[in-house]
């Protein structure tokens, strides 16, 4: 008799974050990647998506309507363009990545 697969393997999905930290939490600008391909590029506060940013999905879409704007505690509360913030998050993530290589 074989054990069920769930008993044999523990699969852990580890998200990835590249960006600023403060007191062990995401803080400032950065990019958060989930295992399913979703990513958030923008501002963080106390470990949450908080401030201007954009959510992208594995297929490259941003949702309909577009999930870009002002977030509070991981929720989009106001839609607006924020290309400068997105670029700053990408630059910060690149700097963090370069420091680790």
């Amino acid at each position: 008799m074989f054990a069920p697969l769930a008993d044999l393997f523990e699969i852990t999905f580890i998200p990835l974050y590249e960006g600023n930290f403060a007191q062990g939490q995401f803080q400032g600008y950065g990019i958060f990647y989930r295992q399913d391909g979703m990513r958030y590029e923008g501002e963080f506060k106390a470990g949450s998506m908080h401030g201007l940013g954009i959510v992208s999905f594995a297929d490259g879409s941003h949702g309909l309507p577009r999930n870009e704007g002002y977030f509070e505690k991981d929720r989009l509360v106001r839609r607006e363009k924020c290309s400068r913030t997105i670029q700053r998050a990408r630059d910060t993530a690149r700097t963090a990545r370069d420091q680790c290589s």
Side-chain angles (χ1 to χ4, degrees), residues 5 7 11 21 27 35 40 52-53 56-57 59 63 68 70 73 88 90:
L5 285 177
D7 291 341
I11 300 173
F21 281 90
Q27 181 76 26
Q35 187 74 18
Y40 169 80
L52 295 173
S56 303
F57 299 100
D59 65 1
E68 178 178 10
Y70 189 80
K73 297 181 181 176
R88 187 162 180 190
R90 290 174 180 171

Side-chain angles (χ1 to χ4, degrees), residues 9-66:
F9 299 100
E10 181 178 325
I11 300 173
T12 304
F13 296 107
I14 301 172
L16 172 68
Y17 174 77
E18 298 173 320
N20 302 126
F21 281 90
Q23 298 176 331
Q25 296 183 320
F26 309 159
Q27 181 76 26
Y29 295 92
I31 303 177
F32 174 81
Y33 304 88
R34 272 192 346 202
Q35 187 74 18
D36 64 3
M38 186 283 277
R39 80 174 177 272
Y40 169 80
E41 301 169 274
E43 296 176 293
F44 293 84
K45 180 179 178 184
S48 294
M49 299 182 300
H50 197 102
L52 295 173
I54 190 168
V55 172
S56 303
F57 299 100
D59 65 1
S61 71
H62 303 289
L64 291 173
R66 191 175 172 92

Side-chain angles (χ1 to χ4, degrees), residues 2 22 24 31 42 47 50 52-53 60 64 70 75 79 82 85 93 97:
F2 294 101
I31 303 177
H50 197 102
L52 295 173
L64 291 173
Y70 189 80
R75 292 179 175 239
R79 295 185 195 285
C82 54
T85 299
R97 192 170 40 253

